[in-house]
Amino acid sequence: MNIRLIIAVLAAKLASFISRRFGGRGSSLPGVVARKIYPNVLTELAGQVCRGIIMVTGTNGKTTTNNMIASIMKSCGFSLVINREGANLITGVTAAFIRHADWLGRVKCDYALLEVDEASLPKVVKEVQPQLVVVNNFFRDQLDRYGELDKTVKLVSDALQSLPQVHLVLNADDPLVAQLSVTTGHKASFFGLAANQRTDTGTRQTREARFCPRCGCELHYRTYQYSQLGTYSCPHCGFQRPTPQVEGIKVTTGNTGLSCLVRYSGGETAMSVRTQGYYNLYNALAAFTVGYLMNIETRLILQGLLRYKPAIGRMETFRHNGKPVLLNLVKNPTGFNEGIAALVNIPGSKNVFMAVNDNDADGRDISWLWDVDFEYLAAYQNDIEIFVCSGLRGEEMALRLKYAGVDLQKITVTKELAAAINEVLAGPGETTYLYTTYTALWPTQKVLCGLAVKEDLHAESLSPLS
């Protein structure tokens, strides 16, 4: 019996209770406390997982992909450790195990599903040995924290290379991700979308990877999905999009979600998810690939994906006075651009809310807002009744909209968050769409839960393709 482990777990559970009692979430603090008392706590707890550990990393979609995998695993009856709320630093990963452990530090679970921040991946894999690692994409994100994109890619590549054995699940459509199969030397399975699948309207996005990650020559793209994701090849060294083992075709979008056919070695099958946003198809395909590699029945994989419910701020849906309300986390140009594309393609008139903070977790440098294609949004402003800007940097958000060409009479700045949310919900639009950066997300969701009804779509409301 490890007395230090027991003391660390007890103290961490107490810290979690106190944090929640005083309005906190307790998603990271228990990890901080436990690691101070016993630095080996994560290694000890993770070593008790019975069947295996799966990690998800990359810039966008970590929380959604991890939770989609969890939904699939639950459809099979597996017990799980998961950092569901997106606390993805090493303290949050530790806290997830502590939450599942009993008072003696015993963990009983089949699998651990861990969303891991790209910059934290090197630290986490030193203490936890995953069997599968999913890498979704690489985009510029919080330059003051991560630095330039090539630094992030190298951090992840080096961390994966340090593992003695692991199976990678990689996005074939992102050249920065696809290269990892070569740079790490590990076995990889690929997922992606077939060319020319996008039927909705897209923004004029910045391409994060114009140049071949192997030789530095300019990549040739036959088609784009969004940002640098697409069908690419290098005319100099021959590097090109690998053939995915799991590929989405015949994409359709609806009011309640997304559907496509999935082509894989077992044939073709219809897949549906109850969430908006074209980018969520990549998250679903990644989760499908994990299920396929684990030899889970296709029927159970599809069932799990259909039962997936969006996490907080991941195209979360509400109703206010009978009108739909959507809440979406935005944290970098690519994610915001995709959020704008989702907004523009919603029929009818809209009210728009944008809360921008610059706390440490958001990134102090908000210059990334000038890389977002708000000019594209301004071109569709006839369908938007009001823009309400809030948060610590609400004025800068309003200024960005002004220079994008949005009518100033439509823009208001309301610093107090609850007042701003009430204001946008009272707008005349048929749909209200709320964008928030990370530290504004939980306060916004808390206010929304007091004013609107959170929707719980039933699986029957979105039938698979026939």
Side-chain angles (χ1 to χ4, degrees), residues 319 322-325 347-351 383 385 427-432:
R319 284 256 163 201
K323 297 180 181 180
V325 178
S349 60
K350 278 87 72 172
N351 310 313
D383 294 334
E385 301 288 347
E430 299 167 57
T431 301
T432 299

Side-chain angles (χ1 to χ4, degrees), residues 114-172:
L114 306 174
E115 168 194 343
V116 183
D117 171 82
E118 310 94 284
S120 296
L121 188 67
K123 295 179 184 177
V124 175
V125 298
K126 283 182 180 179
E127 301 182 26
V128 181
Q129 298 280 301
Q131 284 70 50
L132 276 177
V133 176
V134 180
V135 187
N136 272 350
N137 48 59
F138 288 120
F139 303 121
R140 281 182 301 145
D141 187 29
Q142 297 186 27
L143 292 179
D144 54 340
R145 177 165 170 252
Y146 292 104
E148 286 298 333
L149 190 55
D150 57 353
K151 178 182 176 183
T152 302
V153 175
K154 190 174 189 309
L155 276 173
V156 172
S157 180
D158 289 349
L160 295 175
Q161 198 170 354
S162 72
L163 292 169
Q165 188 174 359
V166 68
H167 192 114
L168 305 181
V169 178
L170 304 177
N171 187 341

Side-chain angles (χ1 to χ4, degrees), residues 152-285:
T152 302
V153 175
K154 190 174 189 309
L155 276 173
V156 172
S157 180
D158 289 349
L160 295 175
Q161 198 170 354
S162 72
L163 292 169
Q165 188 174 359
V166 68
H167 192 114
L168 305 181
V169 178
L170 304 177
N171 187 341
D173 296 352
D174 186 340
L176 297 176
V177 172
Q179 66 163 325
L180 293 175
S181 63
V182 175
T183 60
T184 65
H186 292 305
K187 185 176 180 181
S189 298
F190 294 92
F191 63 92
L193 282 168
N196 301 315
Q197 293 302 302
R198 189 157 199 172
T199 56
D200 66 347
T201 307
T203 62
R204 303 179 296 273
Q205 299 198 21
T206 302
R207 311 299 180 190
E208 306 283 14
R210 286 181 55 205
F211 302 102
C212 176
R214 289 194 193 172
C215 70
C217 289
E218 189 166 2
L219 288 171
H220 170 73
Y221 275 82
R222 183 159 59 88
T223 60
Y224 284 106
Q225 303 289 0
Y226 68 94
S227 191
Q228 78 269 14
L229 276 61
T231 307
Y232 53 85
S233 61
C234 176
H236 183 260
C237 72
F239 173 65
Q240 61 182 346
R241 175 185 184 262
T243 301
Q245 282 73 46
V246 174
E247 187 171 48
I249 60 174
K250 297 183 180 179
V251 174
T252 61
T253 59
N255 292 331
T256 54
L258 303 157
S259 297
C260 72
L261 288 179
V262 177
R263 186 163 51 199
Y264 65 113
S265 63
E268 288 185 2
T269 188
M271 179 184 76
S272 298
V273 289
R274 293 173 297 141
T275 186
Q276 299 286 346
Y278 182 81
Y279 50 88
N280 277 317
L281 280 173
Y282 279 101
N283 301 327
L285 289 168

